């Protein structure tokens, strides 16, 4: 395993295409969940230059903060609350261009302007976590992010 994630490419698509195989290699051969999720968040935060990247893990029908990179965040989110809880409830990816327009958005940082939340399923197809990515610019996330973050969440889900 190389110690540093190298991201080549100018476009977002190229960056993801460079990043995804490196994330696969990073978790290969390591069974510790916390170590792997922590490295995935670091690879995404610094590879893609997002404001905040973290996993919330499903525990007793609510979301509890897991490994993340960024500023301190709220520790528990109820099913159906905020963007993360809505993704948990609907079991689908949610893209928010402007967090202030999302009813019930939970503001962990006033710097956060747009957000994508992707559900993570284990190999039994049970919802086990969500991946939350925030940015300090409006409308950062689109179908390209959704496609590649869902691929990364599939890798993460196989660990859970
Ligand atoms: N904004 C999220 C809460 C988590 S923080 O952004 C890290 C939400 O509304 O669910």
């Amino acid at each position: 395993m190389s110690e540093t994630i190298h991201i080549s490419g100018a476009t977002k698509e190229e960056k993801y295409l460079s990043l995804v195989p490196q994330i696969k290699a990073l978790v290969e051969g390591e069974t510790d969940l916390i170590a792997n999720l922590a490295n995935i968040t670091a690879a995404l935060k610094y590879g893609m230059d997002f404001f905040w990247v973290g996993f919330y893990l499903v525990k007793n029908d609510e979301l509890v903060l897991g490994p993340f990179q960024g500023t301190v965040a709220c520790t528990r989110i109820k099913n159906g609350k905020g963007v993360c809880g809505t993704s948990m409830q609907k079991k689908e990816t949610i893209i928010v261009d402007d967090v202030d327009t999302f009813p019930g958005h939970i503001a962990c940082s006033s710097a956060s302007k747009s957000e994508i939340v992707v559900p993570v399923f284990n190999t039994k197809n049970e919802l086990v976590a969500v991946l939350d990515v925030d940015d300090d610019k409006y409308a950062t996330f689109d179908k390209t992010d959704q496609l590649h973050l869902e691929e990364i969440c599939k890798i993460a889900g196989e660990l859970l």
Side-chain angles (χ1 to χ4, degrees):
M1 185 195 86
S2 68
E3 283 181 30
T4 313
I5 294 269
H6 295 282
I7 308 298
S8 53
T11 68
K12 179 155 70 175
E13 173 77 10
E14 286 167 345
K15 285 184 190 174
Y16 277 118
L17 289 175
S18 162
L19 184 61
V20 171
Q22 295 184 72
I23 286 180
K24 278 187 188 155
L26 196 61
V27 301
E28 208 173 61
E30 176 51 67
T31 55
D32 189 87
L33 178 65
I34 301 288
N36 282 332
L37 296 186
N39 262 340
I40 291 172
T41 62
L44 268 170
K45 166 100 171 74
Y46 293 98
M48 302 302 294
D49 199 26
F50 294 134
F51 175 73
W52 195 94
V53 181
F55 287 98
Y56 279 91
L57 305 177
V58 175
K59 295 184 183 175
N60 299 322
D61 198 42
E62 66 176 351
L63 294 169
V64 183
L65 185 62
F68 72 96
Q69 292 276 321
T71 52
V72 292
C74 47
T75 51
R76 286 174 191 269
I77 298 173
K78 291 204 185 311
N79 192 353
K81 298 289 175 195
V83 188
C84 292
T86 303
S87 172
M88 177 190 186
Q89 193 174 57
K90 294 187 168 174
K91 297 187 177 169
E92 62 187 39
T93 297
I94 298 180
I95 294 173
V96 181
D97 287 344
D98 175 355
V99 294
D100 291 331
T101 66
F102 189 92
H105 170 256
I106 301 162
C108 293
S109 166
S110 59
S112 180
K113 303 292 183 218
S114 59
E115 179 165 358
I116 182 169
V117 180
V118 181
V120 180
F121 300 95
N122 65 13
T123 50
K124 293 183 227 156
N125 212 29
E126 298 159 333
L127 182 82
V128 283
V130 299
L131 173 67
D132 180 14
V133 184
D134 293 16
D135 200 41
D136 56 5
K137 294 170 208 70
Y138 292 106
T140 291
F141 306 103
D142 57 21
K143 289 278 173 202
T144 300
D145 298 279
Q146 177 170 357
L147 180 77
H148 295 289
L149 292 175
E150 285 178 354
E151 194 181 357
I152 290 166
C153 284
K154 195 164 177 292
I155 300 168
E158 284 163 6
L159 308 165
L160 278 149

